[in-house]
Structure formats: structure tokens, C-alpha cells
Amino acid sequence: MSQQILLGDEAVALGAVHAGLSAAYSYPGTPASEILESLVRLSAESGAFKAVWSVNEKVAYEEALGVSFAGKRSLVSFKHVGLNVAADPFMNSAITGANGGFLVVSADDPGMHSSQNEQDSRYYVQFAHIPGFEPSNHQEAYDMAREAYDLSERLGLPVLMRLVTRLSHSRSAVETRQARAQNELKKGAGKDWILLPANARRRFSQLLDQQAEMVRYSEQSPFNRLELNDRDRSLGVIASGIAYNYFREAVAGNVGAPPSFLKVSTYPLPEGLIRRLAAQVDRILVLEDGYPFIERQVRGLFGLPGKTVSGRTDGTLPASGELNPDIVRRSLGLAPLPSLPPSGLPLANRPPQLCVGCPHADTFKALNKALEGRALSNVFSDIGCYTLGALPPYSAIHSCVCMGASVSMARGASDVGLRPAVSVIGDSTFAHSGITPLLGAARADADMTVIILDNATTAMTGGQPTYGSGQELLRLLEGLGVPRAHIRTIEPLPKNHEANVQVIKDEIAHPGLSVIVAVRECIQEQRKKKRS
Amino acid sequence: MKQDIILAGVGGQGILSIAFVIDNAALADGLTFKQAEVHGMAQRGGAVQSHLRLSDGTIWSDLIPKGEADLILSVEPLEALRYMDHLRPDGVIVTSSTPYKNIPDYPDVAEVLEAVRRAPKSVIIDAEALAKEAGTAKAQNIVLLGAAAPVLMLKEQSLLATIDSLFRGRGLPILEANLKAFALGKKAALGS
Ligand code: SF4
């Protein structure tokens, strides 16, 4: 037993290692990146397990599933939208089941601190009919990892742990346990893993048969906690994950016992505990950081006769956005604490910016110049530091949807006559999801221009390795069928501005597919290398 | 006993190093703590803040409720003002006077400092000058940590021990500059 200071992300990672992890896979994405980053560090120290940055989340998921097939304990982690990319193997792995313990960690981003949406991974848990965990603090994140492996091996199913930004990126001390040994190799049973319809039907009905056992597990789990206040029946609170902390914070200063409450940290819901709470109180307030997932199930289509159910859907809490202690305090009818007034000075915002000297800045300047004077220019962009090209002074891009969409959307727009159709995508994002749409565009010689920003790293998430950079990237482009004469490279530097503008102009004028690779290393990575 | 601190500044100013020192000192002193920090997009020259809570009992929320912050510790004066409404009516602001101007509409610096002084208790430190005096302009964050040390519920020796472990690996001159930065910050705060 020892105490360690850990991020929420690191607590899950260390919990998994101490539970006998054999291999972990991930693609970087805020707020989940630190899970695999810490596993890479720990694996380098001990050499006892593998920790791999994968090409994308679908690949990561399947790699981790292969580990489970082989009977070993595996982990895959990503941000919430990464689970969309991995949704195909995810849904099907609920049917194959897990052989070695399989922990899926999906980190949600309520409030969209650095994401395109605030989708709630608990819906995926329900969609796939598998068990889910939602820790409310660091110690639980650590402890639940081992519990999740045990449950996964007992039920023979993958288990998903849902984190939120606020826990992923918060630090606290964690009490750690003795590490246990890894599993021996033990191959999965073929009939379960070959999802021919006959096998899949049998497996799916087995999965449905397991649901009652999962609910019983939730009802008995020490991570869920029901406390009834017999003196006050006016209000009962259901609080899940991190929202539970805001609730306890708000009532900590109260005289007397808090209202009746149920803390929920496992899924499917502990139905019996919810019924006991509901029988005790007139009104139920549901606090959850994310969508009103529990709230909607508790209310159902017809509501609870004689009771009021409050939360995000009746305006007691905002319908969207991250919860915080102030919002939760208000929802409980408590007056705000006395505080200083705001400074009164108009405080200029300080939005994130491209680093001074970033290669993307030079590419955007050249691109803007090359497109000058065209009424209908459309620059489809992607996910990375370069998405900041949307902001002044560049205002250079017109879309950012999901990984790889810049290439496919440019193709679609070009197919119906939008010219010029330009795509701007980073090297890591290209490897993640840009290769397949470019293969299609090359076969059709679609009239579009793809600019790949090759800075030799996954910069936005802190500099993880990339799979499509340098000479390898150029060879890959040729192999995909991009015409050799229209694979151009530029070096985005102020001194090359005029020449770069000309290259971009020429390739946009070419009535077919062109790919321009803008090659210059991320300056943050350059600095890191110099330091070490 | 508890102490809630908002650390503020701009990405790259070393907020997380201040947090690292306080977290480790808290662990050494046997306190509980939670420290919510900002990663990702906000690092690129954007505003960065971290909520750091210390207590000898249970800490529930990772975020500090409005009106609970005892101290705003800021490496940049404009950033100190952003979280004024989190401060208790008798809370303290410790801030650097050196503006970080990476935005076109940065307000008048004198007005910013004036607004800081309107808080019931404020300590304004020329962290840039003191860090240079200590030997490296990079140590502005540690100057401010030194300036806040007299009001922190942490043992000074625990803070110094963590500064030691943080910088020793980067060579003796850097370690000494940071220890000096801490001492100069503390002296300036006590004399103000
Ligand atoms: S981290 Fe690298 S790619 Fe991102 S803005 Fe800075 S220099 Fe550019």
C-alpha cells in the first residue's frame, strides 16, 4: 500500500496495471490521452505489458479485443467521439464477449472543453447491453479498474468505464494495492467469436439473459450508495459520477442530515435501490454530468404517479453543458455563498492560438493568398491544432466535423460542382481516417486539392507519434494512386511564401486530384527534442 | 481547516509547476487535496486556471464553488481578475504585476492593477524583476509561490523540499535560482 498523486486518467491506468493488464491501445484525444501516456511510461519502466498508440480508435479497439481473445487482460481508451470511430467492433464485442478481462475507457467532455459534441457514453453502455462504471473520484477510478476486470471475466463481457474531463484532468492522492499477476494465454471459443448469424443469435440471447444478473450486481455494488432520511420526505437526490461530489459539497454545510440520496456509479441502473428511494420521497432530483440518461429512465413516458422528477429536462438544471458546484447548489434551492463581486473591468478573452512560429500559420497565409478573390472557395478542415485556423487572423477554414471528414467532404462537394474544393488535414489525422477517402478520390481523379500538414506529430494532444509522415507519407500517396505529377511538397516558412502560393494556385487550377504536403516539424516537438 | 486556491495565468507560464509543488507539499503534510487542471486546446497561449483545494478533512468537489476561494494566485494580473467572483469576501489575491499581452484588446495595465487593489487583501509582486534577480526569468511562477507561502496552510519546508525534487534534475544553477526566486517572492510579500 502506498499513496500516489495521480490524474483521474492515471488512476484508471495504474488500477489496470495492478489488476494484471497485459496490453493497452489508444488513439490520443482530450481528455483521454493521459491514460495511455501514463501506460507508455509505466510500460517503459517495467517492460511487463504493452502500451501502444494505434492508428485510430477502431484499430485500437480491435487490437485490444485480440488481446482479450487470447485470454489476457486488455484495455482500450479514447475520448467519447473516439468510441464512434470504434462503434462497430464495440457493438459486436458485446456479442463475441470477452475471454480475458476487457476494459473500455471512454472519456466524455461535458461542456465541450475541446470537443465537437458532448455525447454521453452511458448510452453506448445501454446500447451494447454491457456493464458500465462511472467513478466519482480518483480512488474509485483506481479501484473500479480492478473491479471492472473481475466483472468482465465473471460475465465474459467487455466493461466500459465512463470518465468526464473534470475527473480525467484532476489530481489527487490515491491509495494503491498490491499488483496481481497477468492471465495465462487461453484462446477464445471459436463458436462465440465467429459472428455468423446462427452464432450471433445464440450469443445475443445469452447476453439478454445476463441483464438481470447485471442489475443485481448494481444493486449490491458498494460503489452505489443509498441513504434515506426518514425525517424529510420532500426530496430525494439521485447523483451519478462526479455530480455526486457537487451534491455532497452543496449539502456539507447544512445543519442536520442531507436529504435522502442515491449515489449511482454502475450500470445498468440499480433498479431496486431507485425504487426504494422513490418510495421514500415526493420529489426526485437527478444530478448527472452529461445527458439526462438516468432522469429519462426514471421518468419514463408516463412519469412516476404522485411524484415529481426534476433535472435537466424540466429546467431545474441547464439542458446542456458541464455541471459545477454552483449550478448544483442552485438546483437544491440553496442560496449562493457570499463572494466578491466581479472586477467590473471588461476582461478581454484570451482564446487559444497557434504557437508563435507554428508551420500551420505559414500554410494558412499562403492558402489565403492563393484563394484571394475567389467568391466560392471552400476549405474543408479537420481535427487538430490547425482547426485554430478558423479564428482570426487566418479565418482560413470553413468546416471541421470529425476525423478525416475534410477529405471526404471535399470529394462530395467537388462531385456536385463546388470549385475549388480544398481539404486541409494533419498527418496524424490523415493516417487515422484520411487514407480511405483519398483512395476513393484518387480512383475517380476527383477535382480537388488536399493539403496535408505534415508536422511529424500528433501536436494538439501533446505530441504523440504519427503514422503518416515524411518519405513514408509520400510513398503512401503514390501507392494510393495520386498522380505523381500532382504530389507536391512545400516548406511552410515565411521566406517561401511566394513560391508556396504559386504551388497552391497551380494545383487548384489542375482539373483533377492534387495533394500538397506542407512539411515542417511542430515547433513544440522541435523544442522538446532540443531539451532532451 | 481548509484552503481553496485558484491558480491563474496564461498557457506556458508554469501554473502546473506551482500546482505540482503545492500538491506534493500537501501530501507530505498529510493533507487531502484535489487539483482540477486544464489540458488540451487552452494551452496554446490561452487563459489557464487550476482549482486547488487543500483540507484536513474530506474534499468533495474538484471545482471550487463561488465564494469559497481563499486565495487567487496569479502569474498574470488580468488573469487574476477573471476569477474575482470565486473569492470569499475576505479572500486574498497574490499576483504578478507583469502583463502578458498576446491579445489586441488588453486593457490599460494601471486599471487592471487598480482593480486588483480593490480586493480587500492583495499582494502585487514584480515577479519578472525578482525572477531575473534570482537568475532566470522563467522562475516567475516560483517567485509567486514564495509570495503566497506565508498565507498557505503548508509547511514551508515541504514546499522547499518539492521545489528541490522538481528542479534538482535540471542542474544546480537552475535549482538555486528557483530557491532564490522563492525566497525573494516571500520577502517581497512580507514587506508589502
Ligand atoms: S503545438 Fe505545434 S502544431 Fe500545434 S500550434 Fe504549436 S507549433 Fe503548431
Side-chain angles (χ1 to χ4, degrees), chain A residues 353-355 358-360 385 455 459 522-524, chain B residues 44:
Chain A
Q353 298 169 1
L354 292 176
C355 304
C358 172
H360 301 335
C385 286
N455 62 358
C522 161
I523 57 166
Q524 295 293 352
Chain B
R44 319 245 175 280

Side-chain angles (χ1 to χ4, degrees), chain A residues 217-228:
Chain A
Y217 171 84
S218 275
E219 283 167 349
Q220 284 154 14
S221 167
F223 293 118
N224 301 322
R225 181 160 158 210
L226 176 67
E227 269 189 34
L228 298 177

Side-chain angles (χ1 to χ4, degrees), chain B residues 33-94:
Chain B
F33 67 91
K34 281 190 176 181
Q35 181 230 327
E37 55 190 56
V38 180
H39 298 207
M41 294 283 273
Q43 283 175 316
R44 319 245 175 280
V48 173
Q49 117 269 38
S50 170
H51 288 210
L52 212 170
R53 315 193 73 187
L54 307 172
S55 170
D56 54 12
T58 305
I59 299 167
W60 290 107
S61 170
D62 297 77
L63 294 173
I64 300 170
K66 279 194 176 141
E68 283 279 5
D70 303 282
L71 168 67
I72 292 175
L73 176 51
S74 182
V75 191
E76 208 283 343
L78 175 64
E79 295 308 318
L81 295 180
R82 230 180 265 287
Y83 313 103
M84 284 265 281
D85 59 348
H86 271 74
L87 209 55
R88 303 157 54 108
D90 60 348
V92 187
I93 299 182
V94 177

Side-chain angles (χ1 to χ4, degrees), chain A residues 52-349:
Chain A
V52 178
W53 287 115
S54 304
V55 179
N56 66 33
E57 294 89 349
K58 177 180 187 286
V59 172
Y61 198 98
E62 290 156 354
E63 287 163 342
L65 188 60
V67 174
S68 173
F69 178 90
K72 299 266 189 176
R73 296 194 186 101
S74 72
L75 179 144
V76 62
S77 59
F78 29 60
K79 69 184 293 176
H80 58 341
V81 289
L83 182 49
N84 298 337
V85 179
D88 198 359
F90 170 72
M91 291 303 293
N92 294 321
S93 68
I95 312 294
T96 61
N99 191 25
F102 187 8
L103 176 57
V104 182
V105 188
S106 182
D108 291 358
D109 190 17
M112 300 182 232
H113 295 277
S114 47
S115 304
Q116 321 89 296
N117 74 34
E118 54 179 26
Q119 67 183 54
D120 188 325
S121 296
R122 294 176 300 170
Y123 283 88
Y124 269 114
V125 170
Q126 191 181 47
F127 195 18
H129 295 90
I130 60 168
F133 285 87
E134 189 184 13
S136 64
N137 60 41
H138 303 73
Q139 190 65 48
E140 282 189 350
Y142 174 86
D143 294 336
M144 277 179 182
R146 186 173 297 205
E147 181 68 17
Y149 281 112
D150 291 347
L151 185 64
S152 170
E153 289 180 356
R154 201 166 82 225
L155 296 173
L157 289 173
V159 171
L160 185 142
M161 189 190 298
R162 177 204 192 220
L163 298 176
V164 292
T165 304
R166 215 36 94 175
L167 180 57
S168 284
H169 287 175
S170 164
R171 257 175 235 280
S172 193
V174 171
E175 198 77 58
T176 60
R177 294 166 63 182
Q178 198 75 41
R180 71 176 175 199
Q182 298 181 21
N183 286 346
E184 295 301 321
L185 276 176
K186 176 172 70 76
K187 220 180 108 170
K191 275 209 183 117
D192 292 349
W193 290 78
I194 303 168
L195 293 185
L196 283 168
N199 290 338
R201 277 184 217 116
R202 177 179 53 82
R203 289 289 303 161
F204 186 50
S205 68
Q206 280 173 354
L207 177 63
L208 295 180
D209 287 344
Q210 287 179 297
Q211 297 304 302
E213 189 185 346
M214 291 183 207
V215 172
R216 270 199 307 279
Y217 171 84
S218 275
E219 283 167 349
Q220 284 154 14
S221 167
F223 293 118
N224 301 322
R225 181 160 158 210
L226 176 67
E227 269 189 34
L228 298 177
N229 178 341
D230 290 325
R231 294 175 173 210
D232 178 3
R233 294 178 175 264
S234 63
L235 175 70
V237 172
I238 299 177
S240 78
I242 200 133
Y244 172 70
N245 301 341
Y246 302 146
F247 163 65
R248 294 301 301 264
E249 178 81 33
V251 299
N254 280 11
V255 268
S260 295
F261 69 83
L262 171 63
K263 168 184 182 276
V264 174
S265 278
T266 72
Y267 302 90
L269 288 174
E271 293 168 7
L273 299 184
I274 292 177
R275 284 198 192 94
R276 279 174 60 198
L277 179 78
Q280 178 88 359
V281 300
D282 301 329
R283 176 171 167 250
I284 296 176
L285 171 65
V286 188
L287 304 172
E288 43 194 333
D289 206 8
Y291 287 11
F293 175 77
I294 301 176
E295 187 182 336
R296 286 207 178 108
Q297 291 182 70
V298 169
R299 181 180 292 116
L301 195 51
F302 301 104
L304 283 182
K307 317 259 174 196
T308 315
V309 180
S310 297
R312 286 198 190 263
T313 57
D314 73 341
T316 304
L317 292 160
S320 66
E322 188 185 20
L323 294 182
N324 63 40
D326 308 314
I327 293 173
V328 168
R329 195 178 164 81
R330 215 177 309 132
S331 77
L332 288 158
L334 298 169
L337 299 166
S339 74
L340 281 187
S343 73
L345 218 61
L347 299 179
N349 275 332

